[in-house]
Amino acid sequence: MNFGPTEDQKSLLERVKRFAVQEIEPIAAEIDLKGIFPDDVISKIGRIGLNGMIIPKEHGGMGLDTVTYAMAIEELSRASASVSATVSVNNSLVCYTLDKFGSENQKMKFLVPLANGTYIGSFAVTEPAAGTDASSMQTTAKREGDSFVLNGTKIFITNAGKSKIALIFAMTDKEKGVKGITSFIVDTSSKGFVVGKIEDKMGIRGSQQAQIFFENLAVPAENMLGKEGEGFKIAMSAIDCGRIGISAQAVGIAQAALDDSVKYAKERFQFGKPIGDFQAIQWKIAEMVTLTNAARLMTLRAAWKKDKGERFTMDASMAKLFASDVAMRVTREAVQVHGGHGYMKGSNVERFFRDAKITEIYEGTSEVQKIVISREMLK
Ligand SMILES: Cc1cc2nc3c(=O)[nH]c(=O)nc-3n(C[C@H](O)[C@H](O)[C@H](O)COP(=O)(O)OP(=O)(O)OC[C@H]3O[C@@H](n4cnc5c(N)ncnc54)[C@H](O)[C@@H]3O)c2cc1C
């Protein structure tokens, strides 16, 4: 077992870090404050290949393993969790799913431009009445000749309004519950695809989430992803991989909060000495670094199991459950280390604290991770 990065990983991570420091960090506070999606930075990320990291080169990607992908997402998240949210959805939920379940034709038509950065993708399961319980999905897809006609509403969809391709999950047979869900690859410029309200959020404010409405949206039958009724299985597989990305995002947020806290503890003087000389602050730093390292190890282990072709569902859930909790604890302590200055808008740790919360919610809440883990343990 080797705990250090390989030479290839080191060189990629140096490039990602340089990009994050030069291109993302300078705009991170502003996109958060104003709630702006950073089109230019996301385009550049696409051009340097980071939108298709785990996709084979012949399908437009970088051909990296999941361990390297997780390390790169951590690096991007240290600069901005808003940016990494966009990148993580495109990589793990959209590209990975097309790579795993798409036909060769679908890969050439949709995956190549998504992985090489020409397009951005989105992934739409959640609905007003179907959050954790996907079987309550109301969106329908009815076969009409060579097409399926979709009607319904999705909410909270990351990259909606920015994506050219969306993976949409809809009921083809309501009677069958989750076994009646089918997934479709949809061109978002099609007639009947309507983007609704853009959400105003607590954190990751530089990523974009919106409602989507389908109004008699006709999707060619050849754009069905996998087989009819396989949609739930496809969504769960995508989310397994996605949870590694979100764990890495949580680790990146925690690491950024830790880095700022260490710096501040050395610079901030009270009672004639740096606050880092007080044991209360030293213990916080010790706990923050220990938790962050443990979360990183769990994340990389889940990624490593996936790369070995082993079942990694429980590992991805444990990593997400733990890393998201660590991100919350570490960012809360980071605000505490910064005192009143950490509570003010414009301080990095205030942003990290708000950004951390989403990692406990999307791609399965922490409660759902406990259900997944306990189900695996007790089966
Ligand atoms: C910023 C953001 C981005 C998102 N991006 C996307 C996206 O790109 N695509 C997409 O499809 N969705 C997306 N989502 C939706 C997200 O995945 C859901 O919000 C999440 O799965 C929870 O669903 P819900 O919000 O409806 O909560 P609910 O399911 O209503 O849950 C409410 C509470 O009840 C708990 N709960 C529910 N069921 C159980 C149970 N059986 N046992 C114990 N506790 C339970 C939950 O853990 C939670 O605490 C996004 C959400 C946000 C906020």
Side-chain angles (χ1 to χ4, degrees):
M1 191 172 287
N2 183 358
F3 284 99
T6 62
E7 288 308 312
D8 283 352
Q9 285 168 334
K10 263 193 223 160
S11 125
L12 177 91
L13 292 172
E14 269 163 28
R15 274 191 288 141
V16 175
K17 190 174 184 68
R18 203 173 321 121
F19 181 83
V21 169
Q22 289 173 359
E23 307 274 349
I24 306 178
E25 265 180 26
I27 59 152
E30 191 192 356
I31 61 171
D32 168 71
L33 195 65
K34 297 186 178 160
I36 309 168
F37 183 89
D39 290 294
D40 284 354
V41 161
I42 298 298
S43 300
K44 281 185 194 164
I45 283 178
R47 286 203 291 278
I48 62 173
L50 299 181
N51 268 344
M53 285 186 253
I54 47 177
I55 302 306
K57 290 185 178 159
E58 64 268 27
H59 290 129
M62 291 179 92
L64 300 176
D65 58 18
T66 319
V67 168
T68 313
Y69 164 65
M71 289 169 158
I73 290 287
E74 178 188 333
E75 212 52 75
L76 294 175
S77 307
R78 284 168 79 162
S80 166
S82 293
V83 168
S84 69
T86 302
V87 176
S88 173
V89 165
N90 202 76
N91 272 277
S92 1
L93 296 186
V94 183
C95 288
Y96 169 72
T97 310
L98 281 168
D99 185 44
K100 190 164 173 192
F101 296 99
S103 66
E104 188 55 28
N105 274 349
Q106 290 172 336
K107 287 183 193 180
M108 293 315 289
K109 192 166 171 195
F110 303 111
L111 177 57
V112 169
L114 282 163
N116 73 15
T118 308
Y119 298 154
I120 300 175
S122 55
F123 178 93
V125 175
T126 307
E127 299 187 0
T132 301
D133 178 14
S135 68
S136 308
M137 193 176 278
Q138 301 294 312
T139 296
T140 53
K142 213 169 144 225
R143 180 100 199 199
E144 284 186 15
D146 288 342
S147 297
F148 282 83
V149 176
L150 272 63
N151 280 287
T153 303
K154 299 286 177 185
I155 58 168
F156 303 160
I157 305 307
T158 300
N159 299 343
K162 296 291 177 184
S163 58
K164 167 73 172 159
I165 302 297
L167 301 188
I168 307 291
F169 295 78
M171 280 285 183
T172 39
D173 187 347
K174 269 190 169 181
E175 300 294 306
K176 291 187 178 161
V178 290
K179 293 208 167 133
I181 298 174
T182 303
S183 58
F184 298 93
I185 310 165
V186 176
D187 182 331
T188 63
S189 55
S190 310
K191 189 167 171 278
F193 189 104
V194 180
V195 178
K197 180 177 151 245
I198 310 280
E199 301 293 348
D200 189 7
K201 307 181 298 292
M202 173 197 292
I204 56 163
R205 290 172 47 77
S207 71
Q208 181 162 301
Q209 283 74 23
Q211 296 176 328
I212 316 174
F213 305 105
F214 312 120
E215 297 169 352
N216 291 320
L217 167 72
V219 180
E222 66 190 30
N223 285 13
M224 183 192 289
L225 183 62
K227 297 200 184 86
E228 196 167 333
E230 276 188 352
F232 185 72
K233 186 185 91 179
I234 291 173
M236 291 306 107
S237 159
I239 287 171
D240 273 352
C241 179
R243 285 171 184 160
I244 295 175
I246 304 307
S247 306
Q249 182 185 46
V251 174
I253 297 169
Q255 184 65 51
L258 170 65
D259 291 344
D260 275 16
S261 300
V262 169
K263 187 164 176 283
Y264 194 75
K266 291 181 186 168
E267 288 170 354
R268 172 70 173 170
F269 274 66
Q270 287 294 280
F271 299 96
K273 49 185 173 182
I275 58 168
D277 278 9
F278 302 124
Q279 194 180 49
I281 301 296
Q282 292 166 358
W283 284 22
K284 285 189 197 305
I285 301 287
E287 281 172 17
M288 289 159 79
V289 66
T290 306
L291 289 170
T292 305
N293 276 305
R296 179 177 298 113
L297 286 175
M298 289 187 76
T299 303
L300 296 181
R301 185 169 187 278
W304 172 76
K305 278 188 92 168
K306 175 176 173 295
D307 288 336
K308 288 209 316 167
E310 289 182 19
R311 207 171 133 68
F312 65 95
T313 298
M314 181 169 145
D315 302 81
S317 280
M318 289 193 298
K320 182 176 183 289
L321 175 67
F322 186 73
S324 58
D325 183 53
V326 164
M328 286 303 290
R329 285 155 70 180
V330 169
T331 55
R332 189 190 67 210
E333 289 296 47
V335 173
Q336 198 67 17
V337 168
H338 284 71
H341 298 277
Y343 194 70
M344 297 299 150
K345 283 272 176 215
S347 106
N348 283 339
V349 291
E350 182 269 344
R351 168 166 55 93
F352 300 151
F353 182 63
R354 286 183 288 102
D355 284 348
K357 183 60 196 168
I358 191 57
T359 64
E360 292 190 314
I361 296 174
Y362 57 12
E363 303 200 23
T365 61
S366 294
E367 291 75 16
V368 168
Q369 307 313 325
K370 287 182 191 171
I371 293 172
V372 173
I373 296 161
S374 57
R375 201 179 276 155
E376 292 279 327
M377 288 304 292
L378 298 171
K379 72 181 177 195

